[in-house]
Amino acid sequence: MVRYENSAPEPITESRDTIAGYLHELNTAALIMSIVHMTGSTRLLQELPTPRTIDVVAANAESGEEVLEGGFTRAQVDRVHEEALKAIEDYRERGFTLPELDSAQLDTLYRYMCGRDVDDEYLEFIREEIALDGVDRRGLSFSDPELRQRAAEFPVVVIGAGMGGVLAGIRLGEAGIPYTVIEKNPGVGGTWYENRYPGCRVDVPGHSYSYSFAPNHDWSSHFPLADEIRAYYEHCAEHYGVMPHIRFRTEVVAAVFDEERQLWQVEIQDAEGKRETLTAAAVISAVGQLNRPKFPDIPGLDGFQGEVVHSGAWPKGLSLDGQRVAVIGSGASAFQIIPEMAKTSSKLTVFQRSPAWMFPNPGYHTPVGEGQKWALRKLPFYSKWYRFWLFYTSVEGVYDKTLMDPSWQRSDSVSAANDEMRQALTAWIESQVQDPALLKKVLPTYPPFGKRILQDNGTYLEALQKDNVELVTEGIVSIEPNAVRTADGRLHEVDAIVCATGFHADRFLFPMKIVGRGGVELSDQWGETNGRAYLGITVPNFPNLFCIYGPNTNLVVAGSIAHNCESQVTYILRCIELLLREGQHTVECRQEIHDAYNERVDAVNAGTAWGAPQVENWYKNDAGRVTANLPFRIIDYWKMTHRLHPEDYVVR
Ligand code: NAP
């Protein structure tokens, strides 16, 4: 039974010994918080140091004392476990009632968990995210009958039923706004529906890669596999009533703004080619950035006789077991495919153009233990604090290490802090590879964060060193009917080719035709690969067109895409609310507001490791401008999006 709802904790029925065993699996900081909820006392917070995000491996190498997650010593953790056992016993004897904590006490908890003093705005950010009081500050609902009526007459078309589109549906439904979700696939999940290549899993913790109001206490691993994530979004679409609003196997071909009626005409086409036009007051694009697979432009690829598959469009049930397989690419997808296919291919040849930086994460494939699942379900507020811990540690993340020091001279790093990271990551790679020739091939020469750093538990480099695996770094010159030819003249015979070569990430909303006010086409306004939007959400000349995960909203190091997705949907709701309250029809971003925002975006992006001129990546368009990434901390993005400034818009 999968349990996603934000339900009250279940009664604790386990023996003291079982519980004592479970405690060893738990996050200490979240457990401390749960103890405070059970006891009503913040005494422990004065007696223990605040939690810290640390590299446990490095900390243990430096310190004589064992250091555990959160920076706690073994003795401190033992003490927390003792206090937890007592608090749980009392809680059970009391019949599972909890003392009330006042808002000042809660603020003390937030400050303790953050490990530092945080200002009022930061507290507001935290309160909204964790919602300990059960108050949902992100949705929209109307009690006034007139507003309810206006909401009911404001139909919205949402494009895409992935994380963003399902969330938009949930929120529009809550607000009483009629909506239709158009989804090109036969099922829900977006990228998690499409990416089903061997080994596909998310590389941020599952317990934070979910909607804040819909935790899943039953993730089977800390970094869940794609199908489990797909099932999560499917469950949410069913549970929150979005499913009946989705039109599957249907694509939006065009959306044209009708100025006279102040409405969008959305042309859709189903899998049988039947076209239809929907009328909408607003259009929300939730198509994502990584949904149009990009095949490499290599002569002869079309004439290859065996299977040619793209990682992002893996046919259901396809098995290449026992075959000689070429994998082209060594980015995030290839990094997951290679260890899996090395187990099943008779020969695996990896064609790498540039190697990836990888970050040591021993728990990357680790299943979630029974103790952790128990605590998520049964310890008061543990799941909320655990999620918050995962979220908060990524809010600041390692953002500072990504920023360029203009006086820095090296080309393989962008600052002293970035270079420190480079050295640590180099040591991690060196610790796994003894062969100097292989080491030379797998050590990146560009700065960390220039491309996505991949989560690694050692399986990737182990796979490359297997007898049936060869890493080829010579460039590919052509594909023959049964082989790949490289620049050194070698012919690599293969039965199948896997292109893990990324997506048309710089072609936002491609290939839809979107026509705004005055007949202006979005693809003309943007140019083919130069998407820009205010806050990544709204675009001048395109009234009531909203993007989720639009231009410059991708996160590289700091934050959670799930959090930002919620911020964007809430912002869109605020725009719609403004219209309904004022009895108006359209909001349209002011050009100067949009331009000033984008100037800031470009300036900050240009000063990061991923914006560095010596670096090539999918974040940049062909002109070298970073179009994918949000260059700000997510607290800054939250500050920009959690309140709508009506003066940024022309409201008509
Ligand atoms: P990617 O990061 O763009 O990697 C594409 C790879 O293909 C690169 O190694 C690239 O080399 C190579 N390549 C492209 N064209 C080539 C050609 N003509 N010849 C040889 N090599 C070629 O794409 P991706 O791996 O699909 O990942 C894209 C993004 O999806 C990730 O950054 C991440 O945001 C997301 N993703 C996430 C997960 C996860 O959560 N675990 C998993 C997969 C993907 P160069 O680097 O030299 O260009």
Side-chain angles (χ1 to χ4, degrees), residues 105 212 381:
Q105 282 174 305
S212 57
F381 295 100

Side-chain angles (χ1 to χ4, degrees), residues 191-192 195 197 199-204 209 290 294-298 310-312 328-336 351-356 364 446 451-455 475-476 499-503 505 549 554-555 616-619:
T191 198
W192 301 109
N195 284 270
Y197 57 77
C200 183
R201 65 172 71 226
V202 66
D203 63 5
V204 296
Y209 195 84
L290 301 166
K294 189 175 180 178
F295 281 89
D297 188 11
I298 302 173
H310 190 282
S311 56
I328 304 179
S330 50
S333 302
F335 197 79
Q336 296 181 327
F351 294 88
Q352 171 197 286
R353 203 159 60 178
S354 4
Y364 189 34
Y446 57 86
K451 298 175 194 272
R452 189 176 175 89
I453 299 189
L454 307 173
Q455 298 295 316
I476 302 172
C499 299
T501 42
F503 299 85
Y549 197 29
N554 181 55
L555 296 170
E616 281 182 26
N617 52 42
W618 67 261
Y619 309 140

Side-chain angles (χ1 to χ4, degrees), residues 134-436:
V135 177
D136 180 357
R137 295 167 177 81
R138 294 180 175 162
L140 177 63
S141 66
F142 300 108
S143 48
D144 175 353
E146 191 177 336
L147 284 177
R148 282 222 299 272
Q149 184 57 36
R150 287 184 193 169
E153 292 164 1
F154 194 90
V156 175
V157 166
V158 179
I159 313 172
M163 175 196 272
V166 170
L167 177 65
I170 294 171
R171 293 309 201 181
L172 291 168
E174 278 172 2
I177 295 171
Y179 65 94
T180 306
V181 182
I182 307 299
E183 169 54 58
K184 69 180 180 339
N185 293 324
V188 161
T191 198
W192 301 109
Y193 182 92
E194 290 168 2
N195 284 270
R196 56 170 77 99
Y197 57 77
C200 183
R201 65 172 71 226
V202 66
D203 63 5
V204 296
H207 293 100
S208 65
Y209 195 84
S210 46
Y211 302 134
S212 57
F213 54 87
N216 175 12
H217 300 330
D218 293 310
W219 290 120
S220 57
S221 57
H222 291 279
F223 296 85
L225 289 165
D227 197 49
E228 209 176 345
I229 305 170
R230 184 203 53 71
Y232 168 80
Y233 289 109
E234 187 176 87
H235 167 87
C236 289
E238 274 162 7
H239 181 78
Y240 293 96
V242 179
M243 214 52 122
H245 299 259
I246 307 178
R247 293 181 64 165
F248 290 108
R249 299 171 73 237
T250 303
E251 294 202 32
V252 170
V253 179
V256 179
F257 185 67
D258 177 339
E259 278 183 64
E260 211 165 291
R261 296 170 66 203
Q262 308 263 58
L263 292 170
W264 283 92
Q265 300 297 332
V266 183
E267 195 179 349
I268 59 173
Q269 177 171 305
D270 69 16
E272 282 69 49
K274 199 171 131 245
R275 291 206 174 193
E276 191 184 330
T277 301
L278 307 179
T279 299
V283 174
I284 300 177
S285 163
V287 298
Q289 293 191 2
L290 301 166
N291 69 350
R292 297 285 170 180
K294 189 175 180 178
F295 281 89
D297 188 11
I298 302 173
L301 185 61
D302 288 349
F304 184 72
Q305 281 170 357
E307 194 87 49
V308 177
V309 289
H310 190 282
S311 56
W314 195 272
K316 227 174 196 168
L318 173 73
S319 161
L320 300 176
D321 291 4
Q323 299 196 27
R324 295 169 303 172
V325 179
V327 173
I328 304 179
S330 50
S333 302
F335 197 79
Q336 296 181 327
I337 290 171
I338 288 161
E340 287 308 307
M341 297 207 73
K343 293 179 200 160
T344 57
S345 314
S346 60
K347 166 114 206 243
L348 186 69
T349 311
V350 177
F351 294 88
Q352 171 197 286
R353 203 159 60 178
S354 4
W357 284 112
M358 53 199 88
F359 187 82
N361 179 352
Y364 189 34
H365 293 174
T366 308
V368 178
E370 283 312 305
Q372 184 72 260
K373 289 183 187 168
W374 168 85
L376 291 165
R377 282 200 305 272
K378 299 199 172 185
L379 281 190
F381 295 100
Y382 177 86
S383 82
K384 288 237 172 210
W385 285 107
Y386 181 53
R387 181 190 159 90
F388 181 71
W389 166 262
L390 296 171
F391 168 73
Y392 178 71
T393 51
S394 76
V395 168
E396 303 298 324
V398 284
Y399 182 79
D400 290 338
K401 294 187 198 300
T402 69
L403 300 180
M404 195 187 286
D405 170 357
S407 65
W408 192 254
Q409 295 295 324
R410 299 181 66 113
S411 63
D412 57 2
S413 53
V414 295
S415 69
N418 185 261
D419 200 61
E420 231 174 70
M421 188 80 175
R422 183 189 64 77
Q423 290 174 40
L425 298 180
T426 300
W428 170 242
I429 293 174
E430 284 172 347
S431 73
Q432 300 177 68
V433 179
Q434 271 65 53
D435 172 10

